[in-house]
Amino acid sequence: MTEVSSLTGRLLVATPALADPNFDRAVVLLLDHDEEGSLGVVLNRPTPVDVGDILEGWADLAGEPGVVFQGGPVSLDSALGVAVIPGGGALDGAPLGWRRVHGAIGLVDLEAPPELLASALGSLRIFAGYAGWGPGQLEDELVEGAWYVVESEPGDVSSPSPERLWREVLRRQRSELAMVATYADDPSLN
């Protein structure tokens, strides 16, 4: 088996050619990627459900829009919290209830009391479900050209305009990917 170079903390940005409607114009933050598979959350799929409707204690800490996001097509009945800690939570100062994923981005233990993290959080997003890939499955999709892999920025997690995130992430690339941001929503209308 070939060694898998970890993409944890990077973004998967759906190419216009990706045919799966679950991932049309999706921006996925990879929370885990190794030889056993990959797990991430779709950052740009807000739902109409307020965070307070399902996790009342976390509602005041969730960034705008204060809704639950559909993290992916898998386990929609489960919730994941992703938060940014300003300054990245120094190794000896990471708050209880937060586990670093990459840089200042980490997972929140939603079973922990919210007040344990309240003073440390810069932003918080709650996701229903996740996107998952078995061993080698994501690598196959990358070879097929389904995804662009780009660096994440802490602000991606809490974008106040998630519907524009796909274009914004592509536009900030210093390559031909920036041009993909201008791709028409429906190319048949051109």
Side-chain angles (χ1 to χ4, degrees):
M1 180 173 192
T2 59
E3 184 177 321
V4 173
S5 176
S6 181
L7 299 176
T8 299
R10 312 258 322 258
L11 296 178
L12 298 177
V13 181
T15 67
L18 183 60
D20 185 339
N22 289 308
F23 296 109
D24 182 46
R25 303 266 172 136
V27 177
V28 177
L29 172 66
L30 282 175
L31 302 172
D32 193 26
H33 176 250
D34 58 26
E35 64 280 344
E36 295 178 19
S38 305
L39 180 135
V41 288
V42 179
L43 297 177
N44 58 337
R45 296 279 192 273
T47 72
V49 179
D50 288 331
V51 171
D53 291 346
I54 60 164
L55 293 168
E56 186 176 344
W58 292 99
D60 291 339
L61 300 176
E64 288 300 320
V67 298
V68 175
F69 281 66
Q70 184 174 333
V74 182
S75 292
L76 293 173
D77 58 345
S78 65
L80 286 170
V82 179
V84 174
I85 301 290
L91 291 178
D92 58 343
L96 289 174
W98 181 81
R99 181 180 61 84
R100 179 184 320 280
V101 170
H102 177 75
I105 301 168
L107 286 168
V108 172
D109 177 359
L110 296 174
E111 298 294 322
E115 51 277 1
L116 196 65
L117 288 154
S119 64
L121 292 182
S123 63
L124 169 70
R125 254 305 126 80
I126 303 296
F127 297 92
Y130 62 90
W133 294 264
Q137 186 180 4
L138 177 58
E139 288 75 14
D140 290 345
E141 290 183 16
L142 292 173
V143 169
E144 293 167 4
W147 301 99
Y148 303 120
V149 179
V150 301
E151 294 299 322
S152 64
E153 294 181 2
D156 297 332
V157 172
S158 58
S159 173
S161 302
E163 69 283 352
R164 295 195 316 241
L165 190 61
W166 185 84
R167 289 188 193 283
E168 289 171 356
V169 168
L170 289 170
R171 196 171 289 123
R172 74 176 184 232
Q173 303 310 307
R174 300 184 187 271
S175 65
E176 63 277 353
L177 285 184
M179 291 296 295
V180 177
T182 64
Y183 197 83
D185 289 335
D186 185 353
S188 68
L189 298 177
N190 282 346

